[in-house]
Amino acid sequence: MRNDKRKKPQQQHRINEQIRAKEVRLVGEDGSMVIPTRQALDMARQQEVDLVEISPNAEPPVCRIIDYSKFLYQQKKRAKEMKQKQVKQEVKEIRFGPQTDEHDYNFKLKHAKEFLEEGNKVRAYVFFRGRSILFKEQGEVLLLRFANDLEEYGKVDQLPRLDGKKMFLYMSPKKQAIQKKSQQKRDREEAEAEAKANAAQENVEPKNGGLLENAKGVEALLKLKEQAGEE
């Protein structure tokens, strides 16, 4: 006969008799209370679950009465949700020449705003080709202007610094810019959903006067036929 061996959850916390403190702070939906550990163990046994130590360094240690497998599942689920909420941050590059014209500058500035609003970092640089290195001051002024124009969306991590033939500027997004983008996205999605609903309603409902217009059209055709017959 094959033994039915259940896979036990990996133990990451002290549970039940492993808890050595004389008393614990028991937390639950109704609040918390400090009671002897033996009393907390008896309460867990009565409910046929476990006494789980969730904060061992507290004085006294904090515990919960819960099935340990369920507790581990909740911890894993919470960690997954937090990971999903974290903004995936990338470094986006913006390249300039030392004599970038106004149209090109504004085009790249717009993209940089979008990058920062999405929670990404921006690495802007001016590339000096050949003798254009003589215009490095011009490149520095360009990058400082760039940083100033993005002040609402990002903060400067590193001021313009020359590295070989490139002068770099690094910026990180501001939290309020990311939140603003999220709100704008929600507003846009709501507006799009409302527009689709209105369009669907218009397709379902007949246009006012539709039947009347058709009747008038038929009437006009009959009159034309009558006139043609008379002739």
Side-chain angles (χ1 to χ4, degrees):
M1 184 176 179
R2 187 175 63 183
N3 293 329
D4 183 17
K5 294 183 179 180
R6 294 184 179 181
K7 187 177 180 180
K8 295 181 179 180
Q10 184 180 1
Q11 189 167 322
Q12 302 170 7
H13 307 79
R14 281 194 285 265
I15 63 172
N16 301 326
E17 283 76 11
Q18 296 173 352
I19 303 170
R20 300 299 183 185
K22 292 183 179 180
E23 60 181 13
V24 296
R25 179 175 294 278
L26 191 63
V27 297
E29 294 179 358
D30 300 328
S32 67
M33 57 181 177
V34 177
I35 60 174
T37 304
R38 183 54 54 188
Q39 181 182 346
L41 284 168
D42 290 341
M43 292 170 65
R45 289 194 190 97
Q46 289 174 6
Q47 298 179 38
E48 297 183 349
V49 287
D50 302 297
L51 181 67
V52 182
E53 187 181 63
I54 59 175
S55 184
N57 297 326
E59 188 61 39
V62 180
C63 296
R64 280 184 66 189
I65 291 178
I66 188 173
D67 181 85
Y68 188 50
S69 298
K70 182 179 179 181
F71 174 76
L72 288 179
Y73 172 77
Q74 290 178 349
Q75 294 288 98
K76 185 177 180 181
K77 184 179 179 182
R78 191 176 295 114
K80 185 178 179 181
E81 288 174 353
M82 289 180 65
K83 187 176 180 181
Q84 288 175 343
K85 288 180 181 179
Q86 290 177 348
V87 178
K88 186 178 179 182
Q89 198 173 62
E90 299 179 7
V91 179
K92 301 290 188 177
E93 282 196 344
I94 300 289
R95 173 177 168 170
F96 292 104
Q99 296 177 319
T100 300
D101 61 47
E102 193 68 15
H103 179 269
D104 191 31
Y105 173 83
N106 289 326
F107 178 77
K108 292 177 178 179
L109 180 67
K110 179 184 175 183
H111 279 289
K113 287 179 181 178
E114 292 174 353
F115 294 150
L116 291 170
E117 285 177 337
E118 291 168 358
N120 298 305
K121 290 189 174 185
V122 170
R123 177 171 62 189
Y125 69 93
V126 179
F127 179 68
F128 300 98
R129 189 188 303 274
R131 294 178 60 83
S132 67
I133 193 68
L134 298 173
F135 301 101
K136 63 180 180 180
E137 290 82 6
Q138 202 168 330
E140 184 177 5
V141 170
L142 175 66
L143 290 177
L144 289 173
R145 176 194 173 189
F146 185 72
N148 185 65
D149 289 342
L150 293 171
E151 185 179 6
E152 182 184 349
Y153 304 90
K155 58 182 180 180
V156 176
D157 294 332
Q158 178 187 298
L159 288 169
R161 188 175 68 183
L162 188 65
D163 185 3
K165 293 185 178 181
K166 296 179 181 178
M167 182 176 287
F168 291 95
L169 168 77
Y170 290 85
M171 297 189 71
S172 295
K174 286 184 177 180
K175 289 184 179 179
Q176 56 266 36
I178 300 172
Q179 292 170 355
K180 181 180 177 183
K181 177 68 174 181
S182 299
Q183 184 60 47
Q184 289 174 344
K185 185 178 180 181
R186 286 194 294 270
D187 293 342
R188 185 172 66 251
E189 288 174 349
E190 289 176 4
E192 289 174 354
E194 185 177 353
K196 287 180 180 178
N198 292 336
Q201 188 69 16
E202 287 177 2
N203 290 333
V204 171
E205 294 181 354
K207 291 183 179 180
N208 292 333
L211 293 174
L212 183 61
E213 288 173 2
N214 290 337
K216 287 181 178 179
V218 172
E219 202 174 294
L221 286 172
L222 290 172
K223 284 184 179 180
L224 286 172
K225 286 182 178 180
E226 288 176 1
Q227 290 173 3
E230 290 174 358
E231 293 174 358

